[in-house]
Structures are given as structure tokens and as C-alpha cells.
Amino acid sequence: MRFPGLVDVHVHLRTPGGEHKEDYHTGSAAALAGGFTTLLAMPNTQPPLVTYKNWRIAQTRALKESLCDVFLMAGASEDYIDELPTLAQNAPALKVYLNDTYGPLRVEGIEPLRRIFQSWTSSKPIALHAEGESLAQAIAMSAVYDRKIHVCHVARKPEIEFIADAKARGLKVTCEVTPHHLFLTEADADRMGPLGDMRPRLGTQADVDALWQHINTTIDCVASDHAPHTLAEKGISGDADNERFALGDLTLKKDPPPGVPGLESTLPLLLTAASEGRLTYERIRDLLYTNPRCIYTLPEQPQTWVEVDEKSSYTFPDHPLYTKCAWSPFEGRRMTGRITNVVFKGKTVYQGGKVLSF
Ligand code: NCD
Ligand code: ZN
Ligand code: ZN
Ligand code: ZN
């Protein structure tokens, strides 16, 4: 079976400032190994991409150092609102953090938020990290200032239902969910410790069921929220592979950073769900290609496709991971659906478990 080159609209590639976790080269290799040929990368780097100068430097490097197409979102900061009109002309979208999460970016209060929405003078979307009450704030801003918003990593039943209501009302709202929120629950978080910790946190079975109920309707995209942190940062000592998840192996750190990698497991998980009849292969194409390209107006990639063997079963991962952090919350999971090769702009770049351009 063949898919077009897939799009992941939410990844953290950690350049600049966090290159020990990931960089454009390793992150884009992980993308190709996972069937993705276009990435939208987040601005919560060090320094964060809140000025046109820093965004431009990073975007130039991304184009040079990546093995697939990588577009960088601009970040919103109360201190750099003047930069937004220029960023709006250049970046594919603006990212606003309304809750605490990993990284230096956070916007609080009605006044900075209304100035940000007024200064983003573009029909390009404003993507938001907006959990709980912040979601209501985000949707209110979208309605009042008539801006397209895209809600990142929706993870809770009331939140997906509220977005469904906003869409029914005709508001310009789109959203994504992550594979970890579709395939894991808080019971897994208890078992996995820091390796199952991310923002938003894993939900209840009722939350997961609600997300699946909206998979063919309210949910526009599946995005990995690929958020690599090293095992050492997560507080995992010792490297005996099969004991990684055993709590006895953890020297619990006070505040391990939230986030899990996902570029290489997203498509296998969705293919597995399709093999079980939980969604269709056509819907995977909508969620990972058609809708992402439409929401962010992404360029076409000629002679680019992903070949999968949808019948092939294996234990994930079936080859060493390319992400620099070198672990996955889905290690050891049975998957049905293997990425056999990826062709990027006329060249075979992934085959037999190897990124040939790496
Ligand atoms: C992300 C990160 O590590 O950058 N972490 C996470 O838990 N999702 C930040 C984010 O996407 O909120
Ligand atoms: Zn987030
Ligand atoms: Zn993220
Ligand atoms: Zn593979």
C-alpha cells in the first residue's frame, strides 16, 4: 500500500540549544524512518524562536541540515509582540503556550493574548497549547479576533467535545491528537513513570474512548508531539534494555522533563489500529496528509511517497531508532503495518530499516 509523503505538524527538534536530545539531522532521519517527509517544528528552543532574526537563523539551518522538509513555527512572547507582523509574513504559523510545559514560552492573561491575536496579521493559523480553561480562552480569542486557531494535542473528553461544539458553531478551529493519547492511559503512566509523563498528561479510559469517537469527525490531524528527552534527563539509570520500564530501575528525579518521542511509532500505531478495523487507511491519509497540508498550506512534494506492508507484524521497533534520545514509550508493542520504503523527491531515502541519506 502506498501513502503520499506524510506530514507531522507537531515535533520538537531541539535545535538550537538542546542538540544533545535531538537535532535537525537525527530528527528528520527519525521522520523518514516513520514515513514523514514534512515536519512542522516547535519554537520552544533555547533561545526560543520569538524574534524574526532567531527564527530566520534556525529556519536556514533547518533547510540545510534536514533530510526532509522542515518548517519552523514562530513563538509568541509578551516581550516580543512587535516581531509578530514580520514573523507572520515568513513563518507557517504562530505557536502560543497557554499552560506550563517544557521550555521557556508561556503567555498569561487577557491583555498580552489580545495583543498577540491582533498582531498576528495573517490568515495563517495560531497553534495553541491550551489545556482545561485555557481552551475556552483560546476559542474566545479566535472568535473575537476572527483568527484561525489549531488546538495542539487534545487529550480530554470535555475538551474534544468543546471543540466539536465550536466547529458546529462555525468557528475557525482545527485540532490534532497524539498517538500516546490515543493508545495509552493513566494506567500506563503509573507503570512507566517519567517515560509516560508528558503534557497534557495521559488521560482516563473515558478520555481515550472519547478521542476515538471523534477520530472520523472532530479530529483533523494526528501529530506525534515528538518531544525527545534523554533517558538520563528522565532519571533512568542503567541501560539494561528490558528493565527500562521497571520502576526499580529508576532513580527518580525531582522534575524530569515532560515529553516522549513519537516520530517513528506514529504510523505503525495507526496502521495497527487500521488492521484491527478501528479506523480506515483512507482516514490515516486524511489525518497525516490531506488535513495537515490544508491547515498549514504546505507545499507539494513531487515524486514523494511511503510504501507500507500493511500485513506485516513485528515487535516495535523493528530496527534501531533514529531519534537521538533512542527510546520509545511503545518499545515492545506488537505492530501490524511496516514502513518498507520511503521515496523523497525522486530518491529512495529509507529502505530495509535504514535511512539511506543519513
Ligand atoms: C513538549 C517538549 O518537551 O517540548 N513536552 C510535552 O510534554 N509535550 C512541550 C509541549 O509540547 O508542550
Ligand atoms: Zn504542548
Ligand atoms: Zn509539543
Ligand atoms: Zn521499520
Side-chain angles (χ1 to χ4, degrees):
M1 180 184 303
R2 187 179 278 197
F3 288 97
L6 300 174
V7 183
D8 191 336
V9 298
H10 188 150
V11 301
H12 300 269
L13 300 183
R14 304 305 190 200
T15 303
E19 291 88 347
H20 64 288
K21 300 174 194 279
E22 198 77 284
D23 58 41
Y24 294 132
H25 193 68
T26 56
S28 61
L32 293 177
F36 294 100
T37 56
T38 302
L39 301 178
L40 278 184
M42 294 297 150
N44 62 334
T45 48
Q46 199 58 253
L49 308 182
V50 295
T51 63
Y52 176 68
K53 181 168 176 273
N54 285 345
W55 176 86
R56 172 56 66 197
I57 291 168
Q59 182 63 73
T60 304
R61 281 190 63 185
L63 286 173
K64 221 169 41 211
E65 297 168 25
S66 301
L67 303 171
C68 65
D69 286 339
V70 173
F71 303 104
L72 306 181
M73 285 196 193
S77 158
E78 181 171 357
D79 302 329
Y80 294 95
I81 292 176
D82 294 356
E83 300 275 338
L84 292 180
T86 312
L87 284 166
Q89 283 172 19
N90 291 277
L94 179 68
K95 179 68 184 278
V96 182
Y97 291 87
L98 295 181
N99 303 96
D100 276 330
T101 184
Y102 180 74
L105 294 177
R106 168 87 198 261
V107 176
E108 241 173 324
I110 291 176
E111 181 54 21
L113 206 51
R114 63 186 283 270
R115 282 166 54 221
I116 287 165
F117 270 72
Q118 287 175 323
S119 304
W120 187 254
T121 47
S122 167
S123 61
K124 294 169 181 175
I126 299 177
L128 295 116
H129 181 128
E131 300 182 50
E133 299 303 322
S134 299
L135 178 60
Q137 206 177 15
I139 290 177
M141 290 287 157
S142 162
V144 170
Y145 298 105
D146 192 28
R147 294 283 186 265
K148 278 185 206 159
I149 64 164
H150 177 80
V151 184
C152 297
H153 44 47
V154 181
R156 293 289 179 276
K157 181 172 196 271
E159 295 171 21
I160 197 67
E161 289 177 346
F162 187 49
I163 291 169
D165 294 346
K167 287 185 167 202
R169 188 84 178 78
L171 297 178
K172 295 172 180 167
V173 182
T174 57
C175 73
E176 73 198 23
V177 298
T178 73
H180 43 272
H181 294 116
L182 286 169
F183 292 93
L184 299 173
T185 68
E186 56 188 15
D188 297 295
D190 292 343
R191 175 175 61 83
M192 293 162 70
L195 299 189
D197 182 37
M198 74 295 285
R199 299 295 173 273
R201 289 189 171 85
L202 294 174
T204 63
Q205 189 61 50
D207 291 321
V208 173
D209 292 345
L211 295 179
W212 278 102
Q213 273 160 23
H214 288 265
I215 197 81
N216 291 320
T217 51
T218 314
I219 296 168
D220 298 282
C221 320
V222 169
S224 69
D225 191 11
H226 179 78
H229 299 288
T230 66
L231 286 171
E233 289 165 331
K234 285 288 200 179
I236 310 296
S237 63
D239 50 7
D241 260 19
N242 48 0
E243 282 172 49
R244 268 185 195 169
F245 294 150
L247 274 169
D249 227 356
L250 306 178
T251 37
L252 280 171
K253 282 187 129 184
K254 255 199 271 98
D255 278 314
V260 297
L263 272 167
E264 289 162 272
S265 47
T266 296
L267 182 56
L269 285 164
L270 291 178
L271 291 171
T272 303
S275 80
E276 295 163 351
R278 304 180 72 194
L279 82 170
T280 64
Y281 295 103
E282 290 70 29
R283 188 62 187 160
I284 294 177
R285 185 189 158 107
D286 295 341
L287 293 166
L288 296 182
Y289 174 75
T290 313
N291 297 343
R293 287 194 51 221
C294 174
I295 291 165
Y296 289 108
T297 332
L298 297 170
E300 266 195 81
Q301 297 178 315
Q303 296 175 72
T304 298
W305 66 83
V306 179
E307 205 77 53
V308 306
D309 178 352
E310 71 273 22
K311 298 217 166 64
S312 169
S313 288
Y314 57 97
T315 301
F316 184 83
D318 63 341
H319 54 78
L321 294 167
Y322 277 90
T323 177
K324 204 182 267 187
C325 73
W327 62 275
S328 162
F330 297 103
E331 265 176 65
R333 188 177 272 249
R334 279 306 281 179
M335 301 280 195
T336 301
R338 182 194 304 272
I339 302 154
T340 53
N341 59 295
V342 177
V343 175
F344 180 63
K345 298 181 181 173
K347 268 201 208 139
T348 298
V349 288
Y350 177 79
Q351 194 160 37
K354 287 213 160 61
V355 177
L356 307 176
S357 50
F358 189 64

PDB file of all heavy atoms in Angstrom, residues 10 12 14 44 97 101-102 129 153 198-199 225 227 229 258-259, ligand 1:
ATOM      1  N   HIS A  10       3.551  18.566  14.484  1.00  0.00           N
ATOM      2  CA  HIS A  10       3.956  18.948  15.852  1.00  0.00           C
ATOM      3  C   HIS A  10       5.144  18.106  16.316  1.00  0.00           C
ATOM      4  O   HIS A  10       4.978  17.008  16.834  1.00  0.00           O
ATOM      5  CB  HIS A  10       2.771  18.778  16.803  1.00  0.00           C
ATOM      6  CG  HIS A  10       3.018  19.315  18.179  1.00  0.00           C
ATOM      7  ND1 HIS A  10       2.015  19.818  18.982  1.00  0.00           N
ATOM      8  CD2 HIS A  10       4.160  19.441  18.917  1.00  0.00           C
ATOM      9  CE1 HIS A  10       2.507  20.229  20.136  1.00  0.00           C
ATOM     10  NE2 HIS A  10       3.823  19.984  20.123  1.00  0.00           N
ATOM     11  N   HIS A  12       9.344  18.455  18.125  1.00  0.00           N
ATOM     12  CA  HIS A  12      10.381  19.265  18.778  1.00  0.00           C
ATOM     13  C   HIS A  12      11.729  18.718  18.324  1.00  0.00           C
ATOM     14  O   HIS A  12      12.065  17.584  18.653  1.00  0.00           O
ATOM     15  CB  HIS A  12      10.248  19.180  20.292  1.00  0.00           C
ATOM     16  CG  HIS A  12       8.918  19.662  20.790  1.00  0.00           C
ATOM     17  ND1 HIS A  12       8.702  20.969  21.159  1.00  0.00           N
ATOM     18  CD2 HIS A  12       7.733  19.026  20.946  1.00  0.00           C
ATOM     19  CE1 HIS A  12       7.429  21.110  21.549  1.00  0.00           C
ATOM     20  NE2 HIS A  12       6.816  19.948  21.424  1.00  0.00           N
ATOM     21  N   ARG A  14      14.658  20.414  18.805  1.00  0.00           N
ATOM     22  CA  ARG A  14      15.613  20.802  19.862  1.00  0.00           C
ATOM     23  C   ARG A  14      16.767  21.680  19.425  1.00  0.00           C
ATOM     24  O   ARG A  14      17.607  22.040  20.252  1.00  0.00           O
ATOM     25  CB  ARG A  14      16.160  19.554  20.579  1.00  0.00           C
ATOM     26  CG  ARG A  14      15.088  18.629  21.171  1.00  0.00           C
ATOM     27  CD  ARG A  14      14.147  19.336  22.107  1.00  0.00           C
ATOM     28  NE  ARG A  14      13.274  18.407  22.850  1.00  0.00           N
ATOM     29  CZ  ARG A  14      12.142  18.757  23.424  1.00  0.00           C
ATOM     30  NH1 ARG A  14      11.704  20.003  23.336  1.00  0.00           N
ATOM     31  NH2 ARG A  14      11.427  17.879  24.084  1.00  0.00           N
ATOM     32  N   ASN A  44       9.889  26.200  20.974  1.00  0.00           N
ATOM     33  CA  ASN A  44      10.303  26.255  22.386  1.00  0.00           C
ATOM     34  C   ASN A  44      11.731  25.757  22.573  1.00  0.00           C
ATOM     35  O   ASN A  44      12.014  24.857  23.354  1.00  0.00           O
ATOM     36  CB  ASN A  44       9.336  25.458  23.284  1.00  0.00           C
ATOM     37  CG  ASN A  44       9.284  23.976  22.942  1.00  0.00           C
ATOM     38  OD1 ASN A  44       9.549  23.580  21.809  1.00  0.00           O
ATOM     39  ND2 ASN A  44       8.935  23.155  23.919  1.00  0.00           N
ATOM     40  N   TYR A  97       1.782  29.232  23.929  1.00  0.00           N
ATOM     41  CA  TYR A  97       1.674  28.311  25.067  1.00  0.00           C
ATOM     42  C   TYR A  97       0.861  28.976  26.164  1.00  0.00           C
ATOM     43  O   TYR A  97       1.295  29.968  26.742  1.00  0.00           O
ATOM     44  CB  TYR A  97       3.062  27.942  25.601  1.00  0.00           C
ATOM     45  CG  TYR A  97       3.863  27.083  24.641  1.00  0.00           C
ATOM     46  CD1 TYR A  97       4.650  27.661  23.641  1.00  0.00           C
ATOM     47  CD2 TYR A  97       3.818  25.694  24.728  1.00  0.00           C
ATOM     48  CE1 TYR A  97       5.376  26.883  22.750  1.00  0.00           C
ATOM     49  CE2 TYR A  97       4.541  24.902  23.839  1.00  0.00           C
ATOM     50  CZ  TYR A  97       5.316  25.496  22.862  1.00  0.00           C
ATOM     51  OH  TYR A  97       6.033  24.714  21.977  1.00  0.00           O
ATOM     52  N   THR A 101       4.597  24.051  30.405  1.00  0.00           N
ATOM     53  CA  THR A 101       5.064  22.818  29.794  1.00  0.00           C
ATOM     54  C   THR A 101       6.574  22.931  29.687  1.00  0.00           C
ATOM     55  O   THR A 101       7.161  23.827  30.300  1.00  0.00           O
ATOM     56  CB  THR A 101       4.374  22.579  28.429  1.00  0.00           C
ATOM     57  OG1 THR A 101       4.794  21.309  27.915  1.00  0.00           O
ATOM     58  CG2 THR A 101       4.676  23.667  27.418  1.00  0.00           C
ATOM     59  N   TYR A 102       7.223  22.060  28.931  1.00  0.00           N
ATOM     60  CA  TYR A 102       8.677  22.146  28.812  1.00  0.00           C
ATOM     61  C   TYR A 102       9.076  23.374  27.989  1.00  0.00           C
ATOM     62  O   TYR A 102       8.457  23.665  26.973  1.00  0.00           O
ATOM     63  CB  TYR A 102       9.231  20.880  28.144  1.00  0.00           C
ATOM     64  CG  TYR A 102      10.717  20.913  27.993  1.00  0.00           C
ATOM     65  CD1 TYR A 102      11.555  20.731  29.088  1.00  0.00           C
ATOM     66  CD2 TYR A 102      11.295  21.176  26.754  1.00  0.00           C
ATOM     67  CE1 TYR A 102      12.928  20.795  28.955  1.00  0.00           C
ATOM     68  CE2 TYR A 102      12.676  21.231  26.612  1.00  0.00           C
ATOM     69  CZ  TYR A 102      13.477  21.046  27.712  1.00  0.00           C
ATOM     70  OH  TYR A 102      14.847  21.116  27.580  1.00  0.00           O
ATOM     71  N   HIS A 129      -1.029  25.518  22.730  1.00  0.00           N
ATOM     72  CA  HIS A 129      -1.049  24.551  23.827  1.00  0.00           C
ATOM     73  C   HIS A 129      -2.058  25.118  24.818  1.00  0.00           C
ATOM     74  O   HIS A 129      -1.776  26.111  25.485  1.00  0.00           O
ATOM     75  CB  HIS A 129       0.337  24.409  24.456  1.00  0.00           C
ATOM     76  CG  HIS A 129       0.377  23.409  25.581  1.00  0.00           C
ATOM     77  ND1 HIS A 129       1.308  22.386  25.630  1.00  0.00           N
ATOM     78  CD2 HIS A 129      -0.393  23.275  26.684  1.00  0.00           C
ATOM     79  CE1 HIS A 129       1.100  21.668  26.723  1.00  0.00           C
ATOM     80  NE2 HIS A 129       0.084  22.184  27.391  1.00  0.00           N
ATOM     81  N   HIS A 153      -2.443  18.775  20.549  1.00  0.00           N
ATOM     82  CA  HIS A 153      -2.554  17.603  21.453  1.00  0.00           C
ATOM     83  C   HIS A 153      -3.758  17.617  22.401  1.00  0.00           C
ATOM     84  O   HIS A 153      -3.601  17.652  23.614  1.00  0.00           O
ATOM     85  CB  HIS A 153      -1.251  17.393  22.231  1.00  0.00           C
ATOM     86  CG  HIS A 153      -0.600  18.615  22.826  1.00  0.00           C
ATOM     87  ND1 HIS A 153      -1.303  19.555  23.530  1.00  0.00           N
ATOM     88  CD2 HIS A 153       0.697  19.029  22.836  1.00  0.00           C
ATOM     89  CE1 HIS A 153      -0.469  20.489  23.945  1.00  0.00           C
ATOM     90  NE2 HIS A 153       0.748  20.202  23.536  1.00  0.00           N
ATOM     91  N   MET A 198       4.078  13.387  30.108  1.00  0.00           N
ATOM     92  CA  MET A 198       4.119  14.433  29.079  1.00  0.00           C
ATOM     93  C   MET A 198       2.986  15.403  29.364  1.00  0.00           C
ATOM     94  O   MET A 198       2.144  15.156  30.238  1.00  0.00           O
ATOM     95  CB  MET A 198       3.987  13.811  27.673  1.00  0.00           C
ATOM     96  CG  MET A 198       2.625  13.320  27.265  1.00  0.00           C
ATOM     97  SD  MET A 198       1.980  11.945  28.201  1.00  0.00           S
ATOM     98  CE  MET A 198       2.928  10.573  27.583  1.00  0.00           C
ATOM     99  N   ARG A 199       2.942  16.543  28.640  1.00  0.00           N
ATOM    100  CA  ARG A 199       1.827  17.478  28.757  1.00  0.00           C
ATOM    101  C   ARG A 199       1.073  17.511  27.441  1.00  0.00           C
ATOM    102  O   ARG A 199       1.730  17.659  26.406  1.00  0.00           O
ATOM    103  CB  ARG A 199       2.333  18.893  29.100  1.00  0.00           C
ATOM    104  CG  ARG A 199       3.076  18.968  30.400  1.00  0.00           C
ATOM    105  CD  ARG A 199       2.211  18.664  31.624  1.00  0.00           C
ATOM    106  NE  ARG A 199       3.054  18.605  32.833  1.00  0.00           N
ATOM    107  CZ  ARG A 199       3.698  17.519  33.274  1.00  0.00           C
ATOM    108  NH1 ARG A 199       3.574  16.365  32.616  1.00  0.00           N
ATOM    109  NH2 ARG A 199       4.443  17.571  34.351  1.00  0.00           N
ATOM    110  N   ASP A 225       3.706  15.035  18.468  1.00  0.00           N
ATOM    111  CA  ASP A 225       4.303  15.805  19.572  1.00  0.00           C
ATOM    112  C   ASP A 225       5.628  15.159  19.991  1.00  0.00           C
ATOM    113  O   ASP A 225       5.914  15.023  21.183  1.00  0.00           O
ATOM    114  CB  ASP A 225       3.346  15.961  20.766  1.00  0.00           C
ATOM    115  CG  ASP A 225       3.855  16.970  21.788  1.00  0.00           C
ATOM    116  OD1 ASP A 225       4.833  17.693  21.488  1.00  0.00           O
ATOM    117  OD2 ASP A 225       3.278  17.028  22.884  1.00  0.00           O
ATOM    118  N   ALA A 227       8.742  14.659  21.365  1.00  0.00           N
ATOM    119  CA  ALA A 227       9.371  15.527  22.376  1.00  0.00           C
ATOM    120  C   ALA A 227      10.489  14.765  23.072  1.00  0.00           C
ATOM    121  O   ALA A 227      10.350  14.316  24.212  1.00  0.00           O
ATOM    122  CB  ALA A 227       8.324  16.011  23.373  1.00  0.00           C
ATOM    123  N   HIS A 229      13.574  13.605  25.139  1.00  0.00           N
ATOM    124  CA  HIS A 229      14.440  13.919  26.275  1.00  0.00           C
ATOM    125  C   HIS A 229      15.277  12.670  26.510  1.00  0.00           C
ATOM    126  O   HIS A 229      14.789  11.553  26.282  1.00  0.00           O
ATOM    127  CB  HIS A 229      13.617  14.235  27.526  1.00  0.00           C
ATOM    128  CG  HIS A 229      12.713  15.426  27.373  1.00  0.00           C
ATOM    129  ND1 HIS A 229      13.186  16.723  27.319  1.00  0.00           N
ATOM    130  CD2 HIS A 229      11.367  15.527  27.239  1.00  0.00           C
ATOM    131  CE1 HIS A 229      12.158  17.554  27.172  1.00  0.00           C
ATOM    132  NE2 HIS A 229      11.049  16.851  27.105  1.00  0.00           N
ATOM    133  N   PRO A 258       8.838  16.791  30.909  1.00  0.00           N
ATOM    134  CA  PRO A 258       7.735  16.068  30.281  1.00  0.00           C
ATOM    135  C   PRO A 258       7.953  15.946  28.771  1.00  0.00           C
ATOM    136  O   PRO A 258       8.514  16.838  28.153  1.00  0.00           O
ATOM    137  CB  PRO A 258       6.524  16.955  30.587  1.00  0.00           C
ATOM    138  CG  PRO A 258       7.091  18.337  30.687  1.00  0.00           C
ATOM    139  CD  PRO A 258       8.486  18.188  31.255  1.00  0.00           C
ATOM    140  N   GLY A 259       7.464  14.864  28.207  1.00  0.00           N
ATOM    141  CA  GLY A 259       7.550  14.692  26.757  1.00  0.00           C
ATOM    142  C   GLY A 259       8.079  13.323  26.386  1.00  0.00           C
ATOM    143  O   GLY A 259       8.915  12.767  27.094  1.00  0.00           O
TER     144      GLY A 259
HETATM  145  C1  NCD B   1       6.973  19.234  24.984  1.00  0.00           C
HETATM  146  C2  NCD B   1       8.500  19.397  24.936  1.00  0.00           C
HETATM  147  O1  NCD B   1       9.206  18.549  25.552  1.00  0.00           O
HETATM  148  O2  NCD B   1       8.980  20.288  24.266  1.00  0.00           O
HETATM  149  N1  NCD B   1       6.630  18.371  26.071  1.00  0.00           N
HETATM  150  C3  NCD B   1       5.454  17.719  26.245  1.00  0.00           C
HETATM  151  O3  NCD B   1       5.270  17.120  27.318  1.00  0.00           O
HETATM  152  N2  NCD B   1       4.527  17.699  25.322  1.00  0.00           N
HETATM  153  C4  NCD B   1       6.310  20.585  25.102  1.00  0.00           C
HETATM  154  C5  NCD B   1       4.869  20.592  24.660  1.00  0.00           C
HETATM  155  O4  NCD B   1       4.556  20.160  23.544  1.00  0.00           O
HETATM  156  O5  NCD B   1       4.001  21.040  25.410  1.00  0.00           O
END
